Amino acid sequence: MKFKLFTSLVVLFLFVSTHSLYAQEDIFKKLEEIAVVDQKVMMPMRDGVRLATDIYRPKTDAKVPIIFSRTPYNFNSWGDGEQKTRTAETAYDWVKKGYAYVVQNERGRYFSEGEWDILGVPLTDGYDAFSWMKNQTWSNGKIGAIGCSSTAEWQMAVAALDHPSFAAMVPQAYGAGVGTVGEYYEQGNWYRGGAEQLLFFAWLYGVEHDKFKPRIPAGATQEDLIRISRFYDLAPENPEIDMFKALSHLPIQDMLVNMNGKREIFDKMVRRTPNHPDWFTGGLYHDSMEINIPSFWFASWYDVSVSPNLALFNHVRNNSKDLKTRDNQYLVIAPTLHCRYTRATENTMVGERSVGDARLDYDEQITKWFDLWLKGDANDFKTTTPRVQYYTMGSNKWQSANEWPPADTKMVTYYLNSGGKANTGSGDGILSTKKPKKDNPDTFTYDPMNPVLSHGGNVCCTGNAVEGGAFDQREMEKREDILVYTTEPLKEGVEVSGFIEATLFVSSDAKDTDFTIKLIDVYPDGTAYNLDETIQRVRYREGYDKEVFMEKGKVYKVDLTPMSTSNYFEKGHRIRIEVSSSNFPRFARNLNTGGKNYDESEGVVAKNTVHHSDKYSSFIKLPVR
């Protein structure tokens, strides 16, 4: 019996291995039949640094448009002695549609020369790449950019350089490229509300290359690079670590040291304040820059930066000096996690919550978009594609609108109230449209050494530290340092779609602390799914260009960074918010001392109070339709 089982497993292994090998050979054969393949082209920048570039273009004498992907990630065709198919598959898809596909590593990454910094600075590298591609004999001079996450985040600032060949872009999950837009001051997802988002601390451990990494000698020929790339992919292999434990280390400035990680970039960034001038000299886009190209934006409800992403879409559409640019901005908002648009299924799960069939014809829409702007095709994209396509959770359906939020939304104010004991899910916290008269403030103790742990959320890239998505929050709501405010069961269903505003009136016996809010959909059986979350470091309540500390006994108004969602709260459901002072390790802990925080190891326990009365009316505003 054991021998038969062993034999079956061997046969299965050989079948899978052989099938995989044939599939690999098949995609490369198919690609070579239709494409001119030109790998490890070292594209020169204006300072002489060369960037490693792979080019796949149709076998034709006609000039063709270009789809350009610029990335810090490894696209080498070989790794660990095996040929990788991902880049070949993407190239094949674009070449068969009549495009050249060009993929390039940022400066200092893998086979590209120079020193790397986040977003592939200097910005002139992006401009120079467009100029080089435009001047190729096989190029029609029209270039479109596409990518998700770090392969998208460089696009906006380079678009602001206004290269004449940059004809259209498709940025997806692009928040780490947004420095400042409107009231969002996240500096590329490093901050929210002035508190550090720890995702970058984890991401840099896995991504940053050491300055002493092995390098290819200057002057290596293309033939040399292609040959050695078969057995040297220059990809570091970091040991797996317990990222939750790693992110718990104090002081936070030593986190990468404690991980034995590469830390040159981290060491610079961790010491910056939200308004530090260096945020404005790198590769981040800021809303003082002008974007003048057609853009097809992709965001998702459980991504780390959905709100600033939506704000950027609105900013370009409402503020571009060019009316044609304003009219050629389109937006898709999916219910998924970071960069997981195409992983939606007939029963899409986001954390523990099913949001139904969230599939969309992404490939068809994106292809039509580029055909319109790069080929000049008179197709039906603009007549058949809604300005905004957004997925509403709860009702589990795609909807459309001509703007964001939809024009028929109305802001409805819900006030926080209680008898003074809103602590825990069993407390007496109330959320209602009736403004309270008497102040029965709710007080809780925030101990930075015992923070509220992140349970799901709108997050990415943190390893095992935080699992993103919607999770039942009831177990968390047993904590005394979480205030819970809930409506009565809804008599009618209500859709909330848009930006959610929140204002708290607070006091504390600490000089500085944080306040967090989480928006939740409570089911009739008590299941409480998180929708979005935000935080505000109180020292920045008057702006990110100054620090204003608290005095004991005084009440302060704190406007939190707006949240975003589209969720249908069904009849019988309840709307809930949680208020606390930590959401860790989603965000760094405020140690409450009033110091720099990044260089401190010991915290101060704070007694924090939320007020709700006629004078101090803490509230949230929901966009209801």
Side-chain angles (χ1 to χ4, degrees):
M1 184 68 181
K2 289 182 178 180
F3 177 75
K4 288 183 179 180
L5 177 61
F6 174 77
T7 303
S8 299
L9 291 172
V10 170
V11 171
L12 177 62
F13 173 77
L14 291 173
F15 172 78
V16 171
S17 299
T18 303
H19 179 76
S20 176
L21 180 61
Y22 285 151
Q24 286 182 347
E25 292 176 347
D26 185 53
I27 186 59
F28 292 113
K29 181 179 179 181
K30 287 165 57 178
L31 182 60
E32 289 175 356
E33 288 175 351
I34 65 170
V36 176
V37 178
D38 201 8
Q39 295 180 325
K40 296 296 179 287
V41 175
M42 299 303 286
M43 186 186 294
M45 301 293 102
R46 64 186 62 186
D47 62 355
V49 169
R50 304 181 304 163
L51 306 187
T53 309
D54 286 0
I55 302 170
Y56 306 85
R57 55 187 177 87
K59 290 181 176 179
T60 177
D61 292 331
K63 294 181 182 294
V64 297
I66 298 169
I67 302 298
F68 182 45
S69 176
R70 182 166 171 257
T71 182
Y73 297 126
N74 188 9
F75 62 81
N76 196 54
S77 295
W78 291 85
D80 297 324
E82 296 181 355
Q83 202 164 12
K84 305 298 183 181
T85 63
R86 184 174 181 180
T87 300
E89 290 165 353
T90 303
Y92 178 79
D93 286 342
W94 284 114
V95 171
K96 72 180 181 181
K97 295 172 184 175
Y99 290 92
Y101 178 67
V102 179
V103 58
Q104 180 180 84
N105 266 140
E106 293 173 352
R107 176 180 293 243
R109 301 294 291 176
Y110 303 100
F111 288 84
S112 287
E113 298 171 349
E115 300 300 326
W116 181 67
D117 204 342
I118 288 177
L119 299 176
V121 293
L123 283 178
T124 52
D125 282 0
Y127 195 95
D128 292 350
F130 280 93
S131 294
W132 187 93
M133 289 185 285
K134 172 184 73 71
N135 291 329
Q136 299 309 297
T137 58
W138 45 264
S139 168
N140 77 347
K142 297 290 186 180
I143 303 167
I146 191 171
C148 196
S149 192
S150 292
T151 308
E153 289 150 358
W154 61 271
Q155 294 181 34
M156 292 81 71
V158 172
L161 299 179
D162 204 26
H163 194 286
S165 286
F166 198 171
M169 65 180 180
V170 180
Q172 304 168 327
Y174 45 89
V178 182
T180 55
V181 57
E183 55 196 308
Y184 298 95
Y185 234 82
E186 296 203 356
Q187 304 297 14
N189 296 157
W190 192 267
Y191 289 104
R192 175 160 300 162
E196 298 90 349
Q197 303 194 66
L198 294 184
L199 73 97
F200 255 121
F201 293 50
W203 184 80
L204 281 169
Y205 170 75
V207 172
E208 187 172 353
H209 289 188
D210 198 277
K211 62 183 178 182
F212 298 114
K213 69 179 182 180
R215 295 174 185 264
I216 304 300
T221 67
Q222 183 180 13
E223 180 183 5
D224 289 333
L225 294 172
I226 292 172
R227 176 176 54 81
I228 64 177
S229 70
R230 294 170 61 92
F231 41 89
Y232 296 126
D233 66 358
L234 302 184
E237 297 180 358
N238 289 15
E240 289 190 15
I241 62 173
D242 182 340
M243 192 55 70
F244 178 84
K245 182 178 180 181
L247 296 179
S248 299
H249 182 81
L250 292 174
I252 64 172
Q253 69 176 11
D254 292 339
M255 278 187 185
L256 268 289
V257 175
N258 189 56
M259 298 179 202
N260 291 315
K262 288 80 68 177
R263 61 183 192 272
E264 289 81 12
I265 293 172
F266 173 83
D267 285 351
K268 294 186 298 182
M269 296 176 73
V270 75
R271 291 171 172 80
R272 295 179 189 170
T273 58
N275 199 45
H276 193 284
D278 285 354
W279 293 119
F280 299 88
T281 60
L284 290 172
Y285 169 85
H286 299 280
D287 58 13
S288 58
M289 302 174 176
E290 180 80 8
I291 290 179
N292 285 315
I293 67 170
S295 307
F296 195 8
W297 309 88
F298 287 78
S300 52
W301 292 130
Y302 284 93
D303 197 1
V304 66
S305 53
V306 62
S307 289
N309 288 2
L310 303 184
L312 178 53
F313 164 78
N314 283 342
H315 174 75
V316 177
R317 186 146 188 259
N318 296 329
N319 296 286
S320 177
K321 296 176 183 177
D322 179 43
L323 295 180
K324 184 179 178 182
T325 299
R326 292 189 185 192
D327 187 51
N328 288 297
Q329 305 299 312
Y330 289 81
L331 172 68
V332 171
I333 319 171
T336 58
L337 294 165
H338 183 71
C339 286
R340 297 193 185 181
Y341 310 98
T342 58
R343 300 185 196 181
T345 65
E346 188 175 0
N347 180 33
T348 305
M349 298 297 297
V350 185
E352 296 175 338
R353 187 187 190 190
S354 170
V355 295
D357 188 349
R359 293 173 292 183
L360 192 67
D361 55 344
Y362 294 104
D363 183 68
E364 179 182 350
Q365 292 192 35
I366 291 171
T367 300
K368 283 185 177 181
W369 174 256
F370 281 134
D371 286 350
L372 174 64
W373 296 109
L374 307 188
K375 292 183 178 180
D377 284 2
N379 60 32
D380 63 357
F381 178 90
K382 295 189 70 172
T383 58
T384 61
T385 307
R387 177 75 58 188
V388 178
Q389 300 169 79
Y390 67 100
Y391 195 85
T392 301
M393 301 172 290
S395 57
N396 295 347
K397 62 182 181 182
W398 283 101
Q399 301 199 81
S400 62
N402 290 322
E403 59 192 70
W404 190 258
D408 58 352
T409 58
K410 296 191 304 182
M411 297 302 288
V412 178
T413 302
Y414 284 80
Y415 296 96
L416 284 60
N417 200 359
S418 77
K421 282 296 294 180
N423 311 70
T424 80
S426 301
D428 62 2
I430 297 170
L431 193 63
S432 76
T433 56
K434 185 178 180 180
K435 191 174 184 179
K437 298 297 182 183
K438 185 180 179 182
D439 191 11
N440 294 308
D442 295 304
T443 298
F444 61 94
T445 299
Y446 164 46
D447 181 356
M449 300 301 122
N450 182 26
V452 173
L453 299 182
S454 307
H455 187 47
N458 312 66
V459 67
C460 81
C461 318
T462 56
N464 70 319
V466 187
E467 183 178 359
F471 289 86
D472 189 353
Q473 301 295 308
R474 283 179 290 182
E475 189 66 28
M476 303 303 300
E477 292 169 355
K478 294 179 181 179
R479 293 181 60 121
E480 289 283 338
D481 53 358
I482 297 179
L483 306 180
V484 181
Y485 302 91
T486 311
T487 66
E488 292 295 322
L490 299 174
K491 295 181 179 179
E492 300 292 339
V494 61
E495 179 185 325
V496 173
S497 292
F499 296 103
I500 296 105
E501 302 171 10
T503 294
L504 299 177
F505 285 87
V506 303
S507 57
S508 177
D509 63 356
K511 291 178 63 178
D512 185 45
T513 194
D514 294 344
F515 282 91
T516 65
I517 281 187
K518 192 178 292 185
L519 178 66
I520 294 169
D521 183 350
V522 183
Y523 284 48
D525 67 357
T527 303
Y529 287 130
N530 53 294
L531 298 172
D532 200 1
E533 59 205 357
T534 191
I535 190 170
Q536 184 63 44
R537 187 146 292 177
V538 179
R539 69 173 72 180
Y540 294 119
R541 68 191 177 277
E542 296 183 15
Y544 297 103
D545 58 343
K546 55 186 174 183
E547 298 180 347
V548 182
F549 296 101
M550 295 184 290
E551 297 179 26
K552 186 176 180 179
K554 289 189 176 182
V555 178
Y556 299 93
K557 180 184 179 184
V558 177
D559 296 316
L560 285 87
T561 300
M563 300 175 284
S564 296
T565 197
S566 179
N567 187 76
Y568 183 74
F569 294 83
E570 294 188 57
K571 178 182 178 180
H573 285 223
R574 291 175 291 164
I575 302 170
R576 172 176 293 170
I577 66 165
E578 294 176 1
V579 178
S580 191
S581 286
S582 54
N583 181 350
F584 174 81
R586 171 75 172 83
F587 303 104
R589 293 165 283 179
N590 192 330
L591 300 182
N592 299 330
T593 66
K596 294 178 180 178
N597 209 68
Y598 65 75
D599 60 357
E600 298 177 302
S601 299
E602 296 182 5
V604 173
V605 175
K607 283 191 175 182
N608 293 340
T609 299
V610 175
H611 299 266
H612 33 73
S613 65
D614 185 55
K615 182 179 180 181
Y616 301 126
S617 50
S618 296
F619 60 84
I620 62 166
K621 287 185 176 180
L622 300 181
V624 173
R625 45 188 318 253

